[in-house]
Amino acid sequence: QVQLVESGGGLVQAGASLRLSCAASGPTFAFNTYTVAWFRQAPGKEREFVAAISWKSGTIYYPDSMKGRFTASRDNAKNTAYLQMNGLKPEDTALYYCAATTFYSSQQTIHARNYGYWGQGTQVTVSS
């Protein structure tokens, strides 16, 4: 069992920055052998891939729309992953989730169906 807890969301103005955190724990969890990803979901919309960090290669995957504004990172010593979000826009408003999987390739980690562990989500709301 892997437990993930997100934090750091909030209400901000357009153009602001936020850093989300995802703390991982569990009796048999080895953080450095799990890819950690971020997804987001707005009301009425499908869950959207935001970023992932491969445990095997360290490669960070982003959709093209996220490159340049969002940066994913992880601190294995703290069992924590982060998502730095800059230049936030109203369309970024969503519930942001972190997730973990043993998969590691780009074709595997961009799909929510390949993740077995999810946090509860943290709300990000961006006003105009």
Side-chain angles (χ1 to χ4, degrees):
Q1 183 75 275
V2 176
Q3 295 180 337
L4 305 171
V5 180
E6 302 97 333
S7 61
L11 173 62
V12 298
Q13 296 280 347
S17 297
L18 282 173
R19 189 177 76 158
L20 308 183
S21 297
C22 174
S25 64
T28 61
F29 181 62
F31 186 73
N32 64 345
T33 63
Y34 281 81
T35 292
V36 177
W38 293 91
F39 292 81
R40 68 185 185 184
Q41 190 164 25
K45 296 184 178 180
E46 195 168 322
R47 190 162 296 188
E48 179 185 18
F49 173 69
V50 175
I53 306 177
S54 169
W55 71 262
K56 188 171 184 178
S57 67
T59 302
I60 304 174
Y61 305 118
Y62 305 95
D64 288 341
S65 61
M66 306 296 176
K67 293 179 180 178
R69 291 201 303 125
F70 290 7
T71 303
S73 61
R74 63 192 294 170
D75 186 339
N76 289 343
K78 296 181 178 180
N79 287 351
T80 302
Y82 305 94
L83 182 68
Q84 179 68 43
M85 305 184 294
N86 299 323
L88 285 165
K89 305 173 181 179
E91 51 263 45
D92 294 320
T93 295
L95 189 64
Y96 283 71
Y97 297 92
C98 66
T101 181
T102 56
F103 294 128
Y104 54 85
S105 72
S106 61
Q107 66 181 21
Q108 296 166 321
T109 59
I110 63 174
H111 300 295
R113 64 177 179 269
N114 288 332
Y115 289 79
Y117 301 102
W118 294 84
Q120 83 289 350
T122 185
Q123 179 66 39
V124 173
T125 302
V126 185
S127 63
S128 60

